[in-house]
């Protein structure tokens, strides 16, 4: 049976979905919209992730071991990032990864908690066996299972686009100069924890390299790109090697 905490967790995801969808529609149609919707979306994320972090880490303990464990937890990283976005100037695309996560959580909550309360169960698979879920619940489960990996790939590429957006935003003074630095650290953690992120970076690197190395470009262009790749590799590699000894986590 779902608890009050579970309903609050789901409520955060539904709030995020509603607010983010409203904000996306306004952005696509170039309509004026209050930043309240943006902040409401990330408020939903903060509620949901706070509950998940509390369940996985327990009550806060003022010691180094707890802090180290929390900072390497993926849910804590997304919680802290959500707080940063919530407290910063709106960046529309920053809502996209959270929107995708919340979509799948909300659909699963609907299938496992809401549908059994309002839809009659199906007939038993075998005589005398337990009743089966409603056929709509089965179809929803199959859709979630079939589309989860493609959705996570979309999230990984969206997170790379967010970095490009905030990097150019810093140059054009559309967001803080601190924003790309903070987000780069987040991406470095995602590279270690997520195979989807590693794959997205590999694909992006291959495509950029193919364009950079085309005949006709000045020789300095591929040299600069190679230098950038080397610097990024060294910057990310030091932390990755340090964390590798702690054991990898599955997506």
């Amino acid at each position: 049976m779902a608890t009050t905490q579970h309903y609050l967790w789901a409520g955060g995801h539904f709030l995020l979905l509603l607010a983010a969808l409203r904000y996306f529609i306004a952005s696509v149609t170039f309509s004026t919209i209050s930043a309240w919707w943006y902040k409401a979306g990330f408020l939903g994320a903060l509620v949901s992730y706070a509950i998940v972090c509390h369940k996985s880490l327990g009550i806060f303990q003022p010691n180094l071991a707890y802090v180290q464990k929390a900072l390497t937890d993926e849910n804590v990283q997304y919680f802290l990032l959500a707080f940063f976005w919530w407290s910063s100037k709106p960046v529309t695309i920053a809502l996209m990864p959270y929107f995708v996560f919340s979509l799948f959580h909300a659909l699963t909550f609907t299938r496992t908690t809401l549908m059994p309360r309002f839809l009659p169960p199906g007939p038993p698979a075998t005589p005398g066996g337990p009743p089966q879920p409603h056929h709509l619940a089965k179809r929803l489960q199959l859709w979630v299972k079939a589309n989860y990996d493609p959705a996570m790939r979309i999230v990984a590429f969206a997170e790379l686009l967010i970095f490009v957006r905030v990097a150019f935003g810093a140059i054009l003074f559309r967001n803080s100069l601190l924003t790309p630095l903070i987000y780069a650290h987040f991406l470095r953690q995602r590279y270690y924890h997520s195979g989807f992120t590693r794959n997205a970076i590999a694909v992006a690197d291959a495509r950029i390299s193919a364009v950079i190395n085309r005949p006709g470009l000045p020789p300095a262009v591929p040299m600069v790109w190679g230098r950038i790749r080397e610097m990024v590799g060294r910057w990310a590699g030091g932390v990755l090697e340090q964390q590798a000894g702690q054991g990898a986590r599955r997506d």
Side-chain angles (χ1 to χ4, degrees), residues 4-194:
T4 300
Q5 190 180 63
H6 190 54
Y7 278 105
L8 285 174
W9 169 84
H13 287 301
F14 281 110
L15 173 60
L16 192 154
L17 287 173
L18 175 63
L21 185 60
R22 176 70 179 87
Y23 203 79
F24 287 150
I25 292 174
S27 299
V28 171
T29 58
F30 301 101
S31 303
T32 302
I33 186 172
S34 171
W36 181 89
W37 290 97
Y38 179 86
K39 290 187 178 294
F42 278 113
L43 178 61
L46 288 172
V47 170
S48 296
Y49 278 93
I51 291 173
V52 172
C53 292
H54 175 72
K55 291 180 66 176
S56 62
L57 297 172
I59 300 174
F60 174 75
Q61 301 176 21
N63 57 63
L64 183 60
Y66 182 92
V67 173
Q68 289 179 335
K69 181 181 178 181
L71 292 179
T72 56
D73 187 280
E74 296 176 70
N75 290 311
V76 173
Q77 293 166 13
Y78 274 104
F79 173 83
L80 294 175
L81 184 65
F83 180 79
F84 176 76
W85 292 132
W86 177 81
S87 59
S88 304
K89 185 177 179 180
V91 176
T92 303
I93 194 175
L95 282 164
M96 180 57 71
Y98 291 90
F99 180 86
V100 175
F101 294 146
S102 289
L103 175 62
F104 280 83
H105 286 308
L107 290 177
T108 300
F109 177 82
T110 299
R111 177 181 63 83
T112 59
T113 305
L114 298 182
M115 283 186 169
R117 294 176 64 91
F118 299 103
L119 298 177
T126 58
Q132 296 296 299
H134 192 276
H135 69 92
L136 289 179
K138 289 184 177 180
R139 292 178 62 180
L140 184 56
Q141 182 181 21
L142 291 174
W143 188 92
V144 168
K145 184 177 181 180
N147 289 279
Y148 179 80
D149 281 1
M152 294 304 101
R153 285 192 284 269
I154 291 174
V155 166
F157 281 104
E159 289 178 338
L160 296 186
L161 290 176
I162 292 170
F163 177 74
V164 174
R165 160 61 181 84
V166 296
F168 279 102
I171 296 173
L172 300 174
F173 301 103
R174 297 183 60 185
N175 54 251
S176 168
L177 294 174
L178 190 62
T179 302
L181 298 179
I182 292 175
Y183 198 75
H185 177 73
F186 170 79
L187 277 182
R188 180 169 59 178
Q189 298 297 320
R190 294 307 302 145
Y191 184 87
Y192 174 69
H193 288 295
S194 172

